Structures are given as C-alpha cells and as structure tokens.
C-alpha cells in the first residue's frame, strides 16, 4: 500500500489500545502511542533505498516487527528510567507493543496486495497474499485512511463521554 493506506491501517490497529489507555486515564500515553504509530507506519519501507535488499524482504517480517518493538521499547525504557523503575518498565513495554504493532499493521496492509509478504522469513519463504487490490490503488488507500481516522475519532469521542 501507499503511505496514506499505511497511516490508516496503523491508526486502525492502534485505536483499541488508545481506547484502553484513554479509559484508564492515560491520555498522554495514548497520544504518544498514536504519534508513534503514525511515525513508524512506514518503517518497513526503509528497505527501498538499500542496495541488494529486496523490497518487502527482511523489513516486511515478524522478525522486523520484534526488532522495531525492541528498539522503541529500549527508547521507552530510557525515557522512563529518568522517572523511576516502574516508569521504565511501563514505557519500555508500551514502546515494544506500539513498535511491533505498527510494523504488523504495515504487513497487514501489504498482504492485501498481489505482491504480498513473506512474514516468517528467514524461517520460511512462504508467500502470503490476499491479492485484493494493487498497492497503488487510490480508493483502497483512501478507504484504509478513512477507516483508521474514523476509528481514532470514535475512540476520542467515546473517551470524552466517559
């Protein structure tokens, strides 16, 4: 998918997490997580300018999701450790979850295209595709963005009422 579709898919997958955080009174953490989801939505496409790395290769795997989760989790732990040990654990776990979830959202958006993904590489070369729409399909990208935006708005408005 294109950037807009990936943003929408990231928001769509993050919206239940945001709902939980907002319902728990963790408004700032919900906002930070949403910003991270948007910021990381295109992370797997970092492979495009790298010579000798196929697009939708190693960066479009569950292993990469774990790697991004670990990196974002480590950053969260460092930030939290400036407060105390409990904050370090909370921010670290939260960073891992948002980082990994956002990469998985990217994979889900790409699996609907004919090119598909190989999410278990290097353990398996099995290719997964739903072959529903081309990545450049404007309507599909806009639809994903609208779905993610509407889900996010519903979460925000639901939290205002509680």
């Amino acid at each position: 998918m294109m950037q807009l579709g990936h943003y929408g898919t990231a928001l769509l997958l993050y919206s239940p997490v945001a709902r939980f955080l907002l319902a728990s009174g963790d408004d700032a953490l919900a906002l930070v997580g949403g910003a991270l989801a948007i910021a990381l939505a295109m992370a797997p496409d970092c492979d495009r300018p790298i010579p000798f790395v196929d697009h939708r290769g190693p960066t479009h795997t569950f292993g990469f999701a774990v790697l991004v989760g670990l990196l974002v989790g480590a950053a969260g732990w460092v930030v939290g450790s400036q407060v105390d040990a409990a904050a370090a654990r909370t921010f670290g776990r939260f960073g891992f979850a948002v980082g990994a979830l956002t990469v998985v959202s990217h994979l889900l958006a790409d699996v609907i295209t004919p090119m598909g993904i190989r999410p278990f590489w290097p353990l398996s070369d099995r290719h997964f595709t739903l072959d529903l729409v081309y990545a450049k399909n404007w309507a599909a990208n806009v639809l994903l963005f609208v779905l993610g935006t509407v889900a996010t708005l519903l979460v925000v408005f639901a939290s205002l009422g509680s």
Side-chain angles (χ1 to χ4, degrees):
M1 299 306 290
M2 303 302 289
Q3 194 169 13
L4 197 63
H6 285 300
Y7 287 157
T9 308
L11 288 172
L12 189 60
L13 261 64
Y14 179 72
S15 61
V17 175
R19 177 65 179 130
F20 173 79
L21 292 170
L22 291 170
S24 302
D26 291 323
D27 298 7
L29 202 55
L31 182 62
V32 168
L36 277 172
I38 293 295
L40 296 171
M42 296 302 293
D45 284 345
C46 70
D47 61 359
R48 287 186 180 267
I50 301 173
F52 309 110
V53 175
D54 290 333
H55 178 54
R56 295 196 187 178
T59 62
H60 285 68
T61 64
F62 291 125
F64 187 71
V66 171
L67 176 63
V68 170
L70 289 171
L71 291 172
V72 177
W77 182 85
V78 167
V79 169
S81 66
Q82 302 304 309
V83 179
D84 61 30
R89 284 190 301 275
T90 299
F91 290 3
R93 290 175 184 150
F94 181 70
F96 176 84
V98 173
L101 179 71
T102 302
V103 172
V104 169
S105 79
H106 190 103
L107 301 181
L108 289 174
D110 282 350
V111 80
I112 69 172
T113 69
M115 189 174 174
I117 57 172
R118 289 181 171 80
F120 299 107
W121 183 91
L123 302 175
S124 169
D125 268 343
R126 185 157 181 219
H127 179 258
F128 293 86
T129 178
L130 296 177
D131 197 4
L132 297 175
V133 295
Y134 287 103
K136 292 185 179 184
N137 182 303
W138 180 83
N141 280 281
V142 169
L143 178 62
L144 287 173
F145 183 73
V146 168
L147 287 172
T149 302
V150 167
T152 301
L153 291 173
L154 287 172
V155 163
V156 169
F157 288 129
S159 73
L160 294 175
S162 39

